[in-house]
Amino acid sequence: MAAAFKNAGHRIMQVYSPNLHNASLLAYHVGADATNELTGINADTDLFIISVKDDVIEQVAQTLAKHQKPMVHTSGSTSIDVLIKYTDKAGVLYPLQTFSKTREVDFINVPLCIEAVNGSMYTDLEQLAATVSNHIYSINSAGRKILHLAAVFACNFPNYLYGVAQQLLADHQMDFNLLRPLILETAQKVQQQVPTSVQTGPAVRNDQTTMAVHLQLLHREPQMQEIYTLLSQGIIKNNIDGHGDK
Amino acid sequence: MAAAFKNAGHRIMQVYSPNLHNASLLAYHVGADATNELTGINADTDLFIISVKDDVIEQVAQTLAKHQKPMVHTSGSTSIDVLIKYTDKAGVLYPLQTFSKTREVDFINVPLCIEAVNGSMYTDLEQLAATVSNHIYSINSAGRKILHLAAVFACNFPNYLYGVAQQLLADHQMDFNLLRPLILETAQKVQQQVPTSVQTGPAVRNDQTTMAVHLQLLHREPQMQEIYTLLSQGIIKNNIDGHGDK
C-alpha cells in the first residue's frame, strides 16, 4: 500500500516498525525515513496509517493520539471504535487482497474498503483511495468482519487445499505443474460466473463410486478423509438445495 | 477436446451421445456427423475417443470392440484395463482441466496425461497429443487416480469454498466482486510458488482471537464452523511441521 501511495504521487514521510530492519526495508523502497521509536515519531504528516497486528492497533493509536492527526487502520477484523477513542478523525482503509513480500500486486485492481467516523473524513479517505484503486467500497466495521471471514474461505482455505494437492502429488513423485493450470482456470471461471453454477467433480455429480475410491486412497490420512467428506457433503447439499447446475 | 483436435487440423468423423441433441450440438461445432446409435457407429476412423461417464466406459468399449480400431478413454479415475480387455490398441488421454460449456479453454496449456498399452500406441498418442497441447505427461493408471484425487482438492473444493464466501457476502448484502480479485491473486501466487510458502490468514499466524471471532460469526451454521475448524487445524499443523513461512 505504501508503494501504491508513493507511485500515485503521495509522500511517505516515515515508516515505523519495532524492528528497525523491517522499517528500513520498506522506508528505502518508498523513499521515507525509518524509525523504531513510536514515541518520537515524525508528526509532520496529513495521515497516520496504522498497519500493525490487530492486537496492538489500539496501543499505537493511543501513543499517536497526542499529535491530533487523522488516523486510519487497515485491519479487516478490527472495529473503527479503537481509533474513535483517541481521535475525532478516525477511519479505516482495508485493502482486500493477499500480499506477500515476493510478489508485487497491481494495486489499481485491489478492492479498497473505506469506513470513516464522519462524512468529512469519509470524503478525504475516498479521495485518497481513488488515487490508488479503481474499486472503492463503503463497508462498516460489522460488514468488514464478515468480509474478512469470507476472505478466509475464498483465499486462505483454497491455498491450504492447493498445498494438500501438491503434497499428494509429491508423495507419488508427480509434479505440481500438472495442477497449476487447473488452479488458475478454477479461479478465472468465477471472475464472471457464480461459483455454484460452475461446480464440477464427483460430489456435484453425486458419484459415490469415485468418492469411495478417493476415501480409500486417503486411508492413511484420517484428517484428509475428514476434509474430503465434509467438503463433499457441502457440495452435495448445495446441489440438493438447487443452487448447482450439474 | 474435440474442438482442439479440429482446430489442429484433425477430422472428427462422428459424435455419439445417447442424447441426440447433445451429440448434434458438439457435432455441429466440429463439423462432424451426429448419432445416438452406438451399434451403428461409423467405424471409418483412426481412433475412437470414449468420453462418457466412468461407469459406462467399459460397455461402450465392448460395443466398439468388433471394429478393431485403437480406443482411448479420457477418465481420471478409470484404469486402462477396461479397454485392454477389448483391444490390443488401448490408451488413455486425460486432460487435466475443468471444463464448462460456457467457457472455452485454451487447450495448448492444458496438461494432457497419456497412458498406452504398449510403446507403439504410446508413440501414436504422444504425436496426436502434441498437436493440441504443449504439456504432455506420461502417467499410468495408478498415478492418474492420485492426480484425479489431487484435482478434487485443487479445483472442486476451492470452488465450493468460493461459493461459501459468496453466500456469506450475499447474506449480508455484499457483492461477490469484492472477493474476485483476491481469488484470482491467490491462484496466481501458486503459479510460481509452492502453496505452503505463501499461506496467509489467521490460522497460519495462530491468531486465536480472530479465529474465535470467526467461529462466533458462524454460530448459526455448525457445518461451516466444522469446515473452518478442520481447515484451520490443517494450516496450523502444516506450520508446526515446518512447511510454512509465516
Side-chain angles (χ1 to χ4, degrees):
Chain A
M1 200 195 277
F5 280 128
K6 175 170 192 248
N7 292 338
H10 303 283
R11 183 164 168 208
I12 312 290
M13 298 299 296
Q14 196 176 36
V15 176
Y16 159 82
S17 165
N19 178 323
L20 188 59
H21 176 69
N22 287 344
S24 301
L25 278 180
L26 180 55
Y28 181 78
H29 190 58
V30 298
D33 292 334
T35 181
N36 60 349
E37 297 278 354
L38 195 59
T39 47
I41 213 163
N42 177 1
D44 180 20
T45 183
D46 298 318
L47 179 67
F48 287 124
I49 299 177
I50 304 175
S51 197
V52 295
K53 281 188 183 162
D54 291 355
D55 52 5
V56 290
I57 292 173
E58 177 160 357
Q59 183 189 322
V60 170
Q62 191 173 18
T63 310
L64 298 177
K66 63 179 175 194
H67 303 298
Q68 299 186 303
K69 290 290 169 91
M71 283 196 257
V72 295
H73 73 63
T74 61
S75 162
S77 49
T78 306
S79 167
I80 193 174
D81 294 346
V82 302
L83 302 185
I84 290 180
K85 283 196 215 173
Y86 303 104
T87 175
D88 54 358
K89 289 176 181 168
V92 179
L93 276 183
Y94 174 50
L96 190 63
Q97 190 50 283
T98 172
F99 299 102
S100 43
K101 285 179 190 154
T102 49
R103 200 182 136 85
E104 191 127 348
V105 159
D106 192 7
F107 213 89
I108 202 80
N109 295 317
V110 173
L112 256 184
C113 305
I114 303 182
E115 181 177 15
V117 66
N118 57 38
S120 124
M121 182 71 181
Y122 188 89
T123 307
D124 288 351
L125 287 180
E126 196 176 28
Q127 279 176 9
L128 177 65
T131 64
V132 291
S133 170
N134 282 335
H135 302 274
I136 296 168
Y137 296 84
S138 168
I139 309 269
N140 66 17
S141 289
R144 202 167 55 248
K145 254 191 201 179
I146 296 289
L147 196 51
H148 187 243
L149 171 60
V152 171
F153 279 93
C155 161
N156 305 150
F157 290 166
N159 186 73
Y160 168 68
L161 295 172
Y162 303 159
V164 170
Q166 186 242 325
Q167 193 57 49
L168 267 170
L169 293 198
D171 290 346
H172 294 83
Q173 291 77 49
M174 283 185 281
D175 190 340
F176 185 51
N177 279 330
L178 272 159
L179 289 177
R180 284 185 160 121
L182 177 66
I183 286 171
L184 194 56
E185 171 67 12
T186 304
Q188 278 169 340
K189 260 174 143 175
V190 298
Q191 298 304 305
Q192 267 80 46
Q193 318 246 14
V194 166
T196 46
S197 73
V198 293
Q199 184 68 54
T200 54
V204 76
R205 296 192 306 268
N206 204 0
D207 177 350
Q208 296 288 341
T209 313
T210 300
M211 289 190 277
V213 169
H214 285 171
L215 287 174
Q216 175 56 30
L217 288 171
L218 294 168
H219 72 280
R220 284 198 194 138
E221 315 210 46
Q223 208 180 358
M224 293 304 131
Q225 285 185 324
E226 215 181 326
I227 291 172
Y228 189 96
T229 302
L230 203 55
L231 296 178
S232 296
Q233 280 169 351
I235 294 171
I236 292 168
K237 187 173 175 300
N238 267 358
N239 217 22
I240 289 169
D241 293 351
H243 298 299
D245 261 10
K246 49 182 168 183
Chain B
M1 198 194 277
F5 280 128
K6 185 187 181 233
N7 292 338
H10 302 284
R11 183 164 167 208
I12 313 291
M13 299 298 297
Q14 196 177 36
V15 177
Y16 160 82
S17 164
N19 179 322
L20 188 60
H21 176 69
N22 286 344
S24 300
L25 278 179
L26 180 55
Y28 180 78
H29 191 57
V30 298
D33 293 334
T35 182
N36 62 348
E37 297 278 353
L38 194 59
T39 48
I41 212 163
N42 178 0
D44 180 20
T45 183
D46 297 319
L47 179 68
F48 286 123
I49 299 177
I50 304 174
S51 197
V52 294
K53 279 188 184 162
D54 290 357
D55 51 6
V56 290
I57 293 172
E58 179 161 354
Q59 183 189 323
V60 170
Q62 192 173 17
T63 309
L64 299 177
K66 63 180 177 194
H67 303 299
Q68 298 188 301
K69 291 289 168 86
M71 283 195 258
V72 296
H73 73 62
T74 61
S75 162
S77 49
T78 306
S79 167
I80 193 176
D81 295 345
V82 302
L83 302 184
I84 290 179
K85 282 197 214 173
Y86 303 106
T87 174
D88 55 358
K89 289 175 179 166
V92 179
L93 276 183
Y94 175 50
L96 191 61
Q97 189 50 280
T98 173
F99 298 103
S100 43
K101 285 178 190 154
T102 48
R103 199 182 137 85
E104 191 128 349
V105 159
D106 193 7
F107 213 90
I108 202 78
N109 295 318
V110 172
L112 257 183
C113 306
I114 303 181
E115 181 178 16
V117 66
N118 57 40
S120 128
M121 182 71 181
Y122 187 89
T123 308
D124 287 352
L125 287 181
E126 197 177 27
Q127 281 176 7
L128 176 65
T131 64
V132 291
S133 170
N134 282 335
H135 303 274
I136 297 168
Y137 295 85
S138 168
I139 310 269
N140 66 18
S141 290
R144 202 167 55 249
K145 254 190 203 180
I146 296 289
L147 195 51
H148 186 244
L149 171 60
V152 170
F153 279 94
C155 161
N156 306 149
F157 290 166
N159 185 73
Y160 168 68
L161 296 171
Y162 302 160
V164 171
Q166 185 241 326
Q167 191 58 50
L168 268 170
L169 293 198
D171 290 346
H172 295 82
Q173 291 76 48
M174 282 186 283
D175 191 340
F176 186 51
N177 279 332
L178 272 160
L179 289 176
R180 284 186 159 121
L182 177 66
I183 286 171
L184 194 57
E185 172 67 13
T186 304
Q188 277 169 341
K189 260 174 146 176
V190 299
Q191 298 304 305
Q192 267 82 45
Q193 319 246 15
V194 167
T196 45
S197 75
V198 293
Q199 184 69 53
T200 55
V204 77
R205 297 192 305 269
N206 204 0
D207 177 349
Q208 295 288 340
T209 313
T210 300
M211 288 190 278
V213 169
H214 285 172
L215 287 174
Q216 175 57 29
L217 288 171
L218 295 169
H219 71 281
R220 283 197 195 140
E221 316 210 45
Q223 207 180 359
M224 293 304 130
Q225 283 186 325
E226 215 182 325
I227 291 172
Y228 189 96
T229 303
L230 202 56
L231 296 178
S232 295
Q233 280 169 351
I235 294 170
I236 292 167
K237 188 172 175 297
N238 267 357
N239 217 22
I240 291 168
D241 294 351
H243 298 298
D245 261 10
K246 49 179 167 185

